């Protein structure tokens, strides 16, 4: 089982870095180009780990394309996925996506194999049979071991999806949203932690399928000066989309309500849409929504794997936390396979108003307001060039 005794701590210089790898899709096309693609995906992760040297890796869903493999060899794919982390001596924690459950793959098989490694921090804290598996939290403490109040909570949620696996009591599609039992656990557990430590501990949340808020914000029109990143998956495929299709029925509203009500929650991170890697500040009422944003920041990761759809450059989102998380803003950026950086932003209260511009040699940097015209001009040129491709 997972090494639940391992304590995550900030480094001596007061930093804690997380590398997110999402949508790996190991095992796809296993009888043709699949093995080559899997090896390339492993190289992506190894290259990024060499550069970033994180304290934790988060695997944010769709680790394996369950529809493409045989159940008899599913555990071998888990071993291949985690090999770069073992080699770099870095612990990891997972959420599962819609491809972890299929007619030839059961999420419990993935979970049992993964958590059999002492470097895995993946857990399952909600025993309800409909909840999925990867619903849990991790605490990250200061470097000083005499300080036992956590600096940050990392929340992990299973957005389920996919189809029923051979060991399931059901058949057909699985709900692709966070279960009500998980929401109740989340609310109760957050209250318990707050009471235990006498304050709302700052937190981050990870889940594979994004919420409808991302789709509603996308509908308002992203500004590449304030929300830099690729925005090629339109519309966002939010929780409930795989179940209901285009007709949004609000399956994820209870989860969004819980997120907004969680004091200290700074940002959330999702995958699923391979062609999106932007962040946005949910600080208003979005179109076709009754929920009022309160400054919660929501981010996409970066598609990491060579399996799955799309030809975008592979990479992973990086998160940098600083000591006294409630007082120091979170930094995040995309590290690509070739080592370059883009989409570097600061997730502070003014994110969404701060201006950024992409630079081929230096990635994303903040720009002063008087350069706003230049950034808008760059955005226009980019849009024009995309339409001509």
């Amino acid at each position: 089982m997972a090494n639940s005794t391992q304590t995550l701590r900030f480094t001596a210089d007061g930093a804690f870095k997380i590398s997110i790898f999402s949508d790996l899709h190991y095992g796809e096309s296993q009888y043709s180009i699949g093995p080559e693609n899997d090896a390339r995906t492993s190289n992506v992760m190894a290259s990024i780990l060499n550069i970033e040297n994180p304290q934790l890796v988060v695997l944010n869903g769709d680790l394996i394309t369950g529809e493409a493999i045989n159940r008899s060899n599913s555990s071998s794919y888990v071993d291949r996925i985690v090999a770069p982390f073992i080699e770099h001596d870095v612990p990891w924690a997972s959420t599962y996506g819609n491809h972890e459950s299929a007619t030839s793959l059961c999420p419990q098989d993935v979970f049992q194999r993964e958590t059999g490694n002492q470097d895995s921090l993946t857990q399952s804290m909600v025993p309800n049979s409909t909840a999925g598996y990867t619903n849990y939290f991790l605490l990250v403490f200061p470097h000083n071991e005499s300080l036992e109040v956590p600096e940050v909570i990392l929340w992990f949620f299973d957005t389920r999806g996919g189809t029923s696996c051979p060991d399931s009591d059901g058949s057909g599609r699985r709900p692709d949203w966070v279960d009500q039992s998980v929401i109740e656990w989340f609310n109760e557990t957050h209250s318990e932690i707050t009471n235990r430590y006498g304050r709302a501990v700052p937190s981050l949340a990870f889940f594979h399928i994004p919420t409808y808020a991302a789709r509603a914000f996308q509908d308002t029109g992203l500004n590449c000066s304030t929300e830099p990143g690729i925005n090629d998956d339109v519309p966002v495929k939010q929780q409930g989309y795989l179940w209901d299709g285009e007709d949004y029925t609000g399956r994820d509203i209870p989860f969004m309500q819980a997120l907004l009500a969680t004091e200290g929650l700074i940002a959330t991170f999702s995958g699923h849409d391979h062609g999106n890697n932007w962040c946005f500040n949910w600080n208003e009422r979005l179109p076709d929504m009754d929920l009022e944003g309160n400054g919660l920041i929501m981010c996409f990761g970066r598609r990491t794997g060579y399996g799955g759809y799309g030809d975008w450059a592979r990479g992973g989102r990086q998160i940098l936390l600083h000591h006294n998380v409630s007082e120091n803003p979170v930094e995040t950026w995309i590290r690509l396979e070739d080592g370059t950086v883009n989409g570097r932003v600061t997730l502070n209260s003014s994110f969404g108003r701060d201006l950024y511009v992409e630079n081929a040699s230096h990635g994303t940097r903040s720009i002063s307001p008087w350069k706003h015209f230049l950034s808008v001009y760059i955005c226009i040129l980019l849009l024009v060039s995309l339409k001509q491709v």
Side-chain angles (χ1 to χ4, degrees):
M1 91 175 266
N3 183 7
S4 58
T5 62
Q6 183 172 163
T7 301
L8 295 173
R9 293 190 179 276
F10 277 65
T11 62
D13 59 357
F16 189 85
K17 186 185 289 184
I18 302 170
S19 290
I20 305 176
F21 300 127
S22 64
D23 297 282
L24 307 179
H25 288 281
Y26 274 73
E28 193 163 306
S29 305
Q30 61 175 320
Y31 298 113
S32 55
I33 61 172
E36 178 183 349
N37 281 344
D38 291 347
R40 296 174 74 183
T41 301
S42 294
N43 288 337
V44 173
M45 295 190 290
S47 298
I48 292 174
L49 293 176
N50 282 334
I51 297 171
E52 296 290 354
N53 191 29
Q55 283 65 62
L56 177 70
V57 165
V58 170
L59 296 175
N60 210 9
D62 283 1
L63 284 63
I64 301 171
T65 301
E67 303 89 337
I69 67 171
N70 297 317
R71 189 177 183 189
S72 61
N73 66 354
S74 60
S75 61
S76 66
Y77 288 102
V78 175
D79 295 343
R80 295 177 211 177
I81 291 168
V82 304
F85 318 143
I86 295 173
E87 181 180 351
H88 287 80
D89 193 26
V90 57
W92 71 88
S94 297
T95 72
Y96 293 162
N98 49 293
H99 285 282
E100 263 69 66
S101 187
T103 55
S104 55
L105 179 66
C106 286
Q108 57 263 40
D109 293 341
V110 181
F111 182 81
Q112 290 171 5
R113 186 71 178 188
E114 180 189 355
T115 56
N117 193 293
Q118 64 178 0
D119 292 319
S120 170
L121 300 181
T122 304
Q123 300 176 50
S124 183
M125 294 184 176
V126 183
N128 190 300
S129 61
T130 64
Y133 280 82
T134 51
N135 300 293
Y136 61 104
F137 69 90
L138 299 174
L139 301 177
V140 185
F141 290 89
H143 179 73
N144 187 341
E145 295 186 11
S146 66
L147 301 176
E148 288 306 314
V149 176
E151 286 265 15
V152 66
I153 308 170
L154 306 178
W155 297 100
F156 300 84
F157 299 98
D158 194 330
T159 51
R160 304 179 293 172
T163 57
S164 299
C165 80
D167 288 349
S168 173
D169 294 333
S171 61
R173 293 173 300 167
R174 299 168 75 224
D176 58 317
W177 59 89
V178 175
D179 189 68
Q180 182 61 35
S181 64
V182 176
I183 296 170
E184 294 170 1
W185 163 83
F186 175 43
N187 291 333
E188 293 170 1
T189 305
H190 182 266
S191 295
E192 291 172 0
I193 294 174
T194 299
N195 292 334
R196 183 189 314 165
Y197 295 108
R199 69 182 181 102
V201 179
S203 62
L204 305 176
F206 303 87
F207 44 90
H208 179 66
I209 304 178
T211 65
Y212 185 78
R215 178 172 173 176
F217 184 83
Q218 186 184 58
D219 287 344
T220 68
L222 272 71
N223 184 332
C224 60
S225 297
T226 52
E227 294 91 21
I230 58 174
N231 180 40
D232 291 344
D233 266 340
V234 181
V236 166
K237 306 301 189 295
Q238 81 286 336
Q239 293 177 35
Y241 186 93
L242 299 174
W243 187 274
D244 295 324
E246 290 287 349
D247 297 326
Y248 178 64
T249 61
R251 306 275 190 182
D252 59 347
I253 287 176
F255 182 53
M256 288 189 289
Q257 289 173 327
L259 294 175
L260 291 172
T262 302
E263 184 179 0
L265 181 59
I266 299 169
T268 71
F269 300 88
S270 300
H272 192 56
D273 287 352
H274 297 184
N276 292 333
N277 74 344
W278 40 272
C279 301
F280 76 98
N281 189 336
W282 187 8
N283 58 5
E284 61 183 352
R285 189 181 299 273
L286 295 170
D288 301 320
M289 293 190 69
D290 293 331
L291 299 179
E292 185 80 30
N294 59 4
L296 175 64
I297 296 173
M298 292 185 155
C299 294
F300 284 97
R302 178 75 176 213
R303 179 268 197 97
T304 305
Y306 272 87
Y309 70 91
D311 294 325
W312 301 279
R314 277 61 170 183
R317 178 169 292 280
Q318 313 303 307
I319 303 171
L320 179 60
L321 304 172
H322 300 280
H323 177 61
N324 292 327
V325 176
S326 59
E327 300 176 8
N328 294 297
V330 176
E331 298 177 51
T332 185
W333 61 92
I334 302 297
R335 176 71 67 177
L336 295 176
E337 178 181 12
D338 64 3
T340 59
V341 168
N342 62 37
R344 184 186 293 271
V345 296
T346 301
L347 304 183
N348 52 17
S349 59
S350 59
F351 178 71
R353 301 191 306 273
D354 297 335
L355 304 175
Y356 298 90
V357 61
E358 289 286 340
N359 181 288
S361 60
H362 298 98
T364 311
R365 59 185 176 87
S366 178
I367 61 174
S368 58
W370 67 268
K371 293 184 178 179
H372 188 208
F373 174 79
L374 175 60
S375 67
V376 172
Y377 179 67
I378 292 173
C379 287
I380 293 172
L381 289 179
L382 177 60
L383 290 172
V384 171
S385 64
L386 288 174
K387 290 181 179 179
Q388 292 176 343
V389 172

